[in-house]
Amino acid sequence: MQLQKSILRIGSVKFLNAKPLDFGFKYSKNINNSILNQYQYRFIEDIPSRLIQKLIQNEIDIGLISSIEAIRNENLFNFYPKLGVCAKRNVQSIFYIKKTNNFNEPVKQIYLDISSKSSNALLKILYYKTFQHLPTFELETPENILKKIDKDSGGLLIGDPAIELLFNQNRFFIKDLAEWWYELTNLPFVFALWTYNKDLLFDERIFLESYDLGMNHLNDIIKDYPFPASFSLNYLKNVLYYTIGEEEVQSLNLFKKYLMDLDLL
């Protein structure tokens, strides 16, 4: 397949969980005999909710975006069906948080992280399935979420801020969203997908090669993050995984159904 343009503009999330997937796009120049080296890359990092806007506005060609946006915009974009940011039973970086440890009681308000639309929609689905109604929601930055939560409200944190809370959670109690989804569905969850314009022509093997390079350089990846090395390695090797199979497709289809049921698309 011939490349449509000489330079691919790649957008990825800045969180640790994405680094095995995008490693090759950042460092392919150092690898000999690489499919990735057929092309040149302009690489940017941002939060998922802004990456989808960049993709829609043609500021990037390929983006690692929230799975809800891949589903919502499936008439505009294709997503690569073999890789994504996946978790089963727990994800350790996407948390519903409260001031009390009673997650069986509803709250009046939930502050949602501005970073990710998939996680926000997932929390709404999980909350509705548990309590059969929805509270008031408000988008906030991670730092303001932690400031605003009281005994009658909850919050959602994702990515690196959520990991930071994991190591300093003395003021809050946490519920892992992947664990909650698994409790309800017995399925893993796919949080993000490589998504691109339907008209873009390129060799999709670049995704697998970038991922393979990333998994072979995990020790290099974790050096750039402030978390304990033992946590980061376990997080990338055992907590998260990146290959999509039958269960993951089933989960994406169920997620889409629930999104439609609650009019969240």
Side-chain angles (χ1 to χ4, degrees), residues 69 104 128 152 228 256:
E69 293 294 0
N104 294 319
Y128 185 83
D152 295 318
K256 180 179 180 179

Side-chain angles (χ1 to χ4, degrees), residues 28 36 62 66 100 165 174 185 196 239:
S28 63
L36 287 160
I62 298 170
S66 299
T100 68
L165 184 68
I174 63 176
T185 68
Y196 50 92
V239 176

Side-chain angles (χ1 to χ4, degrees), residues 45-232:
E45 292 179 311
D46 210 331
I47 59 175
S49 56
R50 284 200 291 262
L51 286 175
I52 180 58
Q53 293 306 314
K54 292 180 186 296
L55 197 60
I56 290 172
Q57 295 165 10
N58 196 33
E59 295 175 15
I60 58 175
D61 302 304
I62 298 170
L64 186 64
I65 67 170
S66 299
S67 56
I68 184 176
E69 293 294 0
I71 294 170
R72 179 180 286 149
N73 294 282
E74 59 187 1
N75 61 319
L76 298 175
F77 307 118
N78 290 331
F79 68 84
Y80 184 62
K82 296 181 181 180
L83 292 174
V85 179
C86 311
K88 189 171 186 175
R89 298 181 184 272
N90 67 88
V91 65
Q92 294 187 12
S93 57
I94 302 176
F95 299 134
Y96 175 46
I97 59 177
K98 292 182 68 176
K99 282 280 191 178
T100 68
N101 196 27
N102 189 350
F103 287 97
N104 294 319
E105 287 189 357
V107 294
K108 296 179 180 178
Q109 184 164 13
I110 295 178
Y111 300 99
L112 299 175
D113 195 321
I114 63 171
S115 300
S116 173
K117 295 180 180 179
S118 272
S119 299
N120 292 342
L122 176 60
L123 178 57
K124 290 178 182 180
I125 289 169
L126 295 171
Y127 192 97
Y128 185 83
K129 292 292 182 182
T130 302
F131 298 110
Q132 286 74 54
H133 78 279
L134 292 175
T136 301
F137 294 99
E138 181 179 335
L139 286 171
E140 268 295 355
T141 60
E143 55 270 21
N144 284 341
I145 289 172
L146 296 177
K147 292 175 184 176
K148 287 190 171 185
I149 291 178
D150 58 25
K151 62 182 180 63
D152 295 318
S153 62
L156 175 72
L157 283 187
I158 79 159
D160 294 352
I163 296 176
E164 291 169 6
L165 184 68
L166 187 64
F167 290 103
N168 186 27
Q169 64 185 63
N170 55 322
R171 294 187 296 125
F172 299 96
F173 297 91
I174 63 176
K175 187 173 181 67
D176 189 297
L177 259 63
E179 180 181 18
W180 198 352
W181 174 259
Y182 187 82
E183 289 172 359
L184 291 175
T185 68
N186 203 37
L187 290 169
F189 193 79
V190 182
F191 290 95
L193 295 158
W194 282 122
T195 308
Y196 50 92
N197 192 291
K198 289 180 180 290
D199 296 328
L200 185 68
L201 300 178
F202 66 103
D203 192 331
E204 292 183 349
R205 291 178 296 173
I206 60 175
F207 294 127
L208 279 172
E209 188 170 273
S210 178
Y211 164 69
D212 288 340
L213 288 171
M215 293 305 293
N216 287 324
H217 289 83
L218 292 182
N219 286 322
D220 297 316
I221 289 172
I222 66 174
K223 290 177 183 177
D224 293 331
Y225 290 85
F227 315 123
S230 58
F231 168 85
S232 296

